[in-house]
Amino acid sequence: MVGHLLEVKDLEVKFALRFGDLTAIDGISFILDKKEKLGLVGESGAGKSVTGFSIINLISKPGYISGGSVTLDGVKLNDLTDSEMREIRGNKISMIFQDPMMTLNPVLTIATQMTETVHAHRNVSKNDAMDIALDKLKKVYIPSPEKRLFQYPHECSGGMRQRIVVAIALLTNPALIIADEPTTALDVTIQAGITDLLSELCETDDMGLILITHDLAVVSQVTEKIAVMYAGKIIETGLTEDIIKNPRHPYTQGLIGSIPGTQEMGKRLTQIKGMMPTLTDIPKGCAFHPRCDIGEQICRETTPLLESVDGEKRLIACHIAGV
Amino acid sequence: MEKNNGLLTIKNLTKHFDISGGLLDQLSFSNGKISRKRTVVKAVNDVSFSIQPGETLSVVGESGCGKSTLARTVLGLYPPNSGEIYYRGDRIDTLSSKEMLPYRAKMQMIFQDPYASLNPRMTVARTLEEPVVFHNKSISNDEVQKKVEDVMEQVGVDPKWVDRYPHEFSGGQRQRISIARALMVDPEFVVADEPVSALDVSIQAQILNLMMDAQEKRGLTYLFITHDLSVVKHISTRVAVMYLGTLCELATVRELFDSRRHPYTKALLSAIPILGERKPKHIKLKGEVPTPINLPPGCIFHGRCEYVNDRCKEEKPKIRVLDSGAQVACHAVEEGRI
Ligand SMILES: Nc1ncnc2c1ncn2[C@@H]1O[C@H](COP(=O)(O)OP(=O)(O)OP(=O)(O)O)[C@@H](O)[C@H]1O
Ligand SMILES: Nc1ncnc2c1ncn2[C@@H]1O[C@H](COP(=O)(O)OP(=O)(O)OP(=O)(O)O)[C@@H](O)[C@H]1O
Ligand code: SF4
Ligand SMILES: [Mg+2]
Ligand SMILES: [Mg+2]
């Protein structure tokens, strides 16, 4: 069997709190291949970031991975020691965050930060490290990269900083990039440049991309696949085009209907009543049932499983819409 | 520009911030001479427009282009450096705070971060009562209670929660409460500065619906500030596009989205991610936004514009009204090159 780039299976993350354990990620599974781009979407608190962090085993206390497995290129990451995991994080998976300053050190020049990263992972000369850094800056279309190398982060604009972060993520030629809201803090004209860049890089550099965002429009432009999360679970997943054109789960339908611009100007937007539950009060049965318009008795009692409709490609977790 | 038919009219409004710091910070020594240097952020420059009763005029533009500064200056929260503000034909920027009081009740503001704008130590009841009592000292207690209840119902917050504090509510509910506070004094004109930007889409839809309902029921006029162009497209009557403190284009929402003229507007709108559009054609802008401390000469956008000519580098384009009624400040449009 030819393996996938990434296989996440029944992943479960809990937070150990004083009054007991809270389940933040409740058994999610997905697959990603080389060059493939997956959008992980959902509203605030759905569990997108926790999912991203748990893939690279960077859940910090009180959080812990309580079940499931993550397999990268055939290697089961759960079984690795800390130092082996660090190796993977440095070499095979890179992560990009919303705030570029989570990655950049304000008191070091771009050159220093980049060459340090190169040296940490590869045994190369100073000059070679500098060449690699320059090469990656060119790759992310930084204008006059030779000059930028010797500047500090604060001398760059927000969009420029995020490009530099992408360049740093590329230094180790990773197989997978996890980008957590990489353009959320940026203006649209700059956002467009970064998303175009990420798409292009997946193609040219054979990488997989997990794009975490609350913005379905961004995801629909970049990714081939989408997984929609709600209260710690994936409730619908499939090909981006299919889901955007024809969402099946009532939550995905509501979410898409809520986006201004998809509906006639000036008319009331479709609205989903209520809001997503917090981890402490996730309802029994389907977590969405208090907000759902088509729910029935069974929804209040039994949790629906993520199951296939339309043959293989589309999975949804809904008792009613799934049949 | 028209002055009397608008609900609110601004003429050549300019707001600069002096960020030079203390005198010592301003002094520098070079060539044997001491000189004093001021640093001024030119946040809003020579902006004019008129808001018609009952319309939603949206102001859009990227971070730092002066949207919030404009909103606050319009409401008198910042004194303008120059220019004029008229409310129903009366000039209000020259009024004392006492003279301004009757206008204050008519003009309300909603902010992006309802947590920061609501007093954490005040219950919902007190938050809502305070502005009413302030503007109407003779109102009876019963009337106030009745009003609190009515308005809470209108914004979809259960009146039985009046004794709760802001932290006991979700972000969406807090925004409902700040809308309720604005509505308590029966305003005519509401300035909303990024009112839904911090909210999730499903909650954002609830709040936008609420604002549209309130507008319809009460005949409100909105000045809506946002960087989210999908929101703008949905709720606006007309849209003003700002770049670096300057008004580039102002047109009806339909005209702007269907046939924008200004090169910056074209680039901005081309960048909006649209649901399900796979191969977007973004217009890539060269360079970066200059700082509002050193504004470029000529057209503010010339360094990034693909239609730039020599005139653009020297002469500031004036706002011109096209046959369609759209207002555009661009030499290329005037010269028929766009
Ligand atoms: N350290 C922590 N302790 C307790 N709960 C946590 C912790 N970190 C995250 N959570 C909870 O886990 C859930 C998922 O959080 P996560 O950050 O993954 O959401 P998200 O989908 O990324 O949301 P956002 O769009 O706001 O970034 C939330 O309910 C959050 O409150
Ligand atoms: N009180 C102030 N003192 C000094 N400078 C200010 C002040 N308020 C705003 N500025 C500056 O004025 C310019 C315009 O800022 P403003 O907040 O109006 O922009 P904005 O369009 O609302 O941006 P955003 O979309 O980020 O909210 C910016 O350069 C800002 O740094
Ligand atoms: S299972 Fe029931 S409640 Fe849940 S989404 Fe489907 S219909 Fe709605
Ligand atoms: Mg997150
Ligand atoms: Mg602002």
Side-chain angles (χ1 to χ4, degrees):
Chain A
M1 190 186 88
V2 182
H4 300 284
L5 171 62
L6 178 75
E7 205 168 340
V8 173
K9 212 161 179 316
D10 302 322
L11 189 67
E12 202 182 271
V13 176
K14 290 194 168 144
F15 287 99
L17 301 176
R18 259 175 301 131
F19 46 84
D21 284 11
L22 289 180
T23 307
I25 302 299
D26 192 1
I28 70 171
S29 305
F30 60 84
I31 286 167
L32 189 75
D33 286 316
K34 269 192 183 153
K35 290 195 187 193
E36 211 171 36
K37 304 182 277 302
L38 168 77
L40 207 53
V41 301
E43 296 183 282
S44 190
K48 307 181 295 294
S49 297
V50 171
T51 302
F53 281 115
S54 59
I55 290 170
I56 53 172
N57 212 341
L58 263 190
I59 294 290
S60 48
K61 275 190 186 146
Y64 68 100
I65 295 177
S66 50
S69 64
V70 177
T71 311
L72 182 78
D73 258 345
V75 180
K76 208 165 164 197
L77 303 187
N78 312 59
D79 303 337
L80 301 184
T81 63
D82 280 359
S83 72
E84 285 168 332
M85 190 60 217
R86 226 170 293 131
E87 190 82 354
I88 296 266
R89 268 204 295 275
N91 284 322
K92 305 203 75 172
I93 308 180
S94 290
M95 196 147 175
I96 298 170
F97 303 97
Q98 173 172 345
D99 180 2
M101 294 316 283
M102 268 181 80
T103 309
L104 298 174
N105 184 331
V107 300
L108 300 178
T109 62
I110 311 296
T112 312
Q113 312 196 29
M114 293 187 78
T115 51
E116 270 181 5
T117 308
V118 176
H119 286 306
H121 297 287
R122 266 195 273 177
N123 201 355
V124 292
S125 74
K126 253 191 166 154
N127 273 341
D128 286 351
M130 201 61 109
D131 285 344
I132 294 172
L134 197 59
D135 180 51
K136 300 300 181 194
L137 284 184
K138 283 182 186 153
K139 219 169 175 139
V140 300
Y141 305 109
I142 298 271
S144 30
E146 294 86 355
K147 236 173 62 196
R148 283 286 169 200
L149 264 180
F150 299 101
Q151 293 189 326
Y152 292 87
H154 69 86
E155 296 174 76
C156 306
S157 67
M160 199 65 80
R161 279 184 214 153
Q162 198 61 300
R163 273 175 200 276
I164 292 167
V165 167
V166 176
I168 292 177
L170 294 178
L171 283 172
T172 54
N173 303 319
L176 172 66
I177 290 196
I178 302 174
D180 191 351
E181 308 269 5
T183 60
T184 304
L186 302 174
D187 280 317
V188 274
T189 56
I190 301 162
Q191 171 180 62
I194 300 278
T195 48
D196 287 353
L197 174 68
L198 286 173
S199 297
E200 182 190 320
L201 289 171
C202 287
E203 203 49 49
T204 56
D205 290 32
D206 253 1
M207 293 185 308
L209 174 72
I210 298 179
L211 180 63
I212 296 177
T213 174
H214 65 280
D215 192 334
L216 267 163
V218 168
V219 156
S220 79
Q221 298 207 319
V222 177
T223 70
E224 295 93 35
K225 295 202 296 194
I226 289 186
V228 183
M229 292 191 68
Y230 188 83
K233 283 192 163 72
I234 292 176
I235 52 94
E236 177 157 13
T237 177
L239 298 179
T240 305
E241 246 189 283
D242 297 347
I243 291 188
I244 299 294
K245 270 206 207 109
N246 178 24
R248 296 285 297 268
H249 194 286
Y251 174 65
T252 319
Q253 288 173 347
L255 202 59
I256 289 178
S258 303
I259 303 174
T262 57
Q263 301 186 9
E264 201 185 329
M265 290 183 208
K267 290 282 176 307
R268 286 179 65 87
L269 295 159
T270 307
Q271 90 185 31
I272 312 175
K273 62 191 176 207
M275 54 188 195
M276 194 162 62
T278 52
L279 295 187
T280 44
D281 54 18
I282 293 181
K284 191 170 170 264
C286 170
F288 185 64
H289 86 249
R291 306 179 70 187
C292 184
D293 288 331
I294 61 165
E296 293 175 11
Q297 188 57 30
I298 182 174
C299 307
R300 272 161 257 153
E301 290 158 1
T302 321
T303 307
L305 300 174
L306 188 64
E307 281 169 342
S308 134
V309 287
D310 297 350
E312 287 273 296
K313 294 215 173 80
R314 174 96 59 115
L315 306 175
I316 70 171
C318 176
H319 294 300
I320 312 298
V323 291
Chain B
M1 270 198 77
E2 74 275 61
K3 157 169 131 186
N4 286 316
N5 58 354
L7 180 67
L8 183 123
T9 300
I10 58 176
K11 286 175 84 175
N12 308 104
L13 202 65
T14 295
K15 177 65 197 168
H16 293 173
F17 296 102
D18 190 329
I19 54 162
S20 324
L23 186 59
L24 281 178
D25 301 327
Q26 298 174 27
L27 299 179
S28 62
F29 189 79
S30 66
N31 298 331
K33 275 195 211 137
I34 291 181
S35 58
R36 185 171 170 196
K37 198 170 148 282
R38 294 197 155 273
T39 312
V40 175
V41 181
K42 303 181 182 80
V44 173
N45 302 292
D46 201 20
V47 173
S48 303
F49 57 64
S50 188
I51 305 174
Q52 303 305 313
E55 80 167 334
T56 298
L57 178 69
S58 293
V59 178
V60 301
E62 296 177 277
S63 184
C65 74
K67 304 182 293 296
S68 298
T69 305
L70 179 69
R72 284 160 193 255
T73 311
V74 162
L75 284 188
L77 301 177
Y78 292 146
N81 293 64
S82 60
E84 297 154 23
I85 307 173
Y86 296 87
Y87 193 80
R88 292 200 183 279
D90 304 333
R91 183 150 180 194
I92 57 169
D93 57 292
T94 47
L95 300 182
S96 67
S97 14
K98 202 168 153 230
E99 291 166 325
M100 189 63 190
L101 264 187
Y103 296 97
R104 283 233 185 284
K106 302 247 174 281
M107 305 159 75
Q108 290 292 312
M109 184 146 178
I110 304 167
F111 298 90
Q112 169 167 359
D113 180 357
Y115 203 64
S117 64
L118 295 174
N119 185 336
R121 277 182 288 279
M122 275 211 233
T123 60
V124 175
R126 273 200 58 205
T127 302
L128 297 184
E129 286 159 8
E130 198 166 59
V132 190
V133 178
F134 179 77
H135 285 290
N136 183 357
K137 305 268 191 286
S138 61
I139 193 166
S140 78
N141 205 16
D142 282 354
E143 282 173 291
V144 176
Q145 297 320 317
K146 173 88 181 49
K147 193 150 198 166
V148 167
E149 217 165 279
D150 286 351
V151 170
M152 282 182 78
E153 233 142 49
Q154 273 176 41
V155 300
V157 179
D158 195 330
K160 72 171 189 269
W161 292 345
V162 287
D163 293 322
R164 295 198 184 182
Y165 290 88
H167 73 261
E168 298 176 71
F169 293 93
S170 70
Q173 285 170 323
R174 284 198 288 262
Q175 197 55 290
R176 288 173 192 271
I177 293 165
S178 40
I179 292 172
R181 183 180 53 181
L183 297 181
M184 282 301 289
V185 294
D186 297 319
E188 298 174 328
F189 177 56
V190 174
V191 176
D193 189 357
E194 309 265 7
V196 294
S197 304
L199 304 173
D200 273 321
V201 268
S202 75
I203 309 299
Q204 171 179 299
Q206 295 171 356
I207 299 294
L208 289 175
N209 284 342
L210 168 61
M211 290 186 67
M212 290 189 288
D213 290 348
Q215 177 167 46
E216 207 180 289
K217 276 201 206 95
R218 296 162 166 262
L220 293 174
T221 305
Y222 287 134
L223 177 62
F224 196 100
I225 310 285
T226 181
H227 66 276
D228 187 330
L229 291 148
S230 315
V231 171
V232 165
K233 187 173 181 185
H234 194 79
I235 57 130
S236 316
T237 317
R238 292 189 302 153
V239 184
V241 182
M242 278 179 78
Y243 180 79
L244 211 54
T246 305
L247 183 64
C248 306
E249 180 159 6
L250 194 160
T252 62
V253 66
R254 224 168 262 284
E255 172 146 19
L256 195 85
F257 279 84
D258 292 349
S259 50
R260 54 261 192 184
R261 302 293 171 71
H262 196 285
Y264 175 65
T265 316
K266 285 175 187 280
L268 185 69
L269 296 192
S270 82
I272 318 174
I274 294 170
L275 198 69
E277 198 170 273
R278 280 303 294 181
K279 292 267 176 305
K281 283 205 183 58
H282 303 141
I283 299 173
K284 292 204 172 70
L285 289 176
K286 56 185 174 187
E288 290 182 38
V289 188
T291 83
I293 294 169
N294 294 307
L295 291 182
C299 172
I300 210 96
F301 187 60
H302 84 249
R304 311 186 69 192
C305 183
E306 55 177 315
Y307 301 93
V308 59
N309 66 9
D310 285 344
R311 185 180 172 209
C312 302
K313 293 179 189 161
E314 285 154 19
E315 183 189 332
K316 223 182 260 314
K318 289 202 177 62
I319 284 276
R320 290 177 61 256
V321 183
L322 310 182
D323 291 341
S324 63
Q327 306 173 33
V328 186
C330 171
H331 293 313
V333 173
E334 185 193 333
E335 292 161 9
R337 294 189 286 121
I338 294 183

